[in-house]
Amino acid sequence: MVPTGVDADTHGRRVFYLFGAVTLLLSILLYLILWQMQGPFLAWAVVLILLGLGFTLLGGATEAWLVDSPRFY
């Protein structure tokens, strides 16, 4: 289990959000390239792991942002 919310709080939510978004963008592009060239199984596995990492980073940063942003005064 990756504590991305804690890491996002420690190192900065914007950095984690951007890193997650870039990871997702690149992994989706790799996914499309593999689909076009009918890539090998190992390449698909790596791209799917990268997709999972991107969603995890993006989700952790978004959660940390949403938890800290409401201000009830």
Side-chain angles (χ1 to χ4, degrees):
M1 189 166 152
V2 181
T4 56
V6 174
D7 288 337
D9 281 336
T10 306
H11 301 292
R13 292 177 200 95
R14 288 182 186 158
V15 172
F16 264 74
Y17 189 85
L18 264 167
F19 189 60
V22 168
T23 304
L24 271 178
L25 176 69
L26 293 178
S27 58
I28 288 171
L29 290 174
L30 285 172
Y31 192 92
L32 290 172
I33 290 169
L34 281 176
W35 177 60
Q36 288 292 322
M37 63 180 264
Q38 298 178 354
F41 176 76
L42 187 59
W44 283 100
V46 170
V47 169
L48 289 174
I49 289 170
L50 286 174
L51 272 169
L53 177 66
F55 277 115
T56 301
L57 291 173
L58 198 62
T62 305
E63 254 182 61
W65 225 329
L66 289 174
V67 167
D68 290 342
S69 63
R71 298 181 192 235
F72 302 105
Y73 308 36

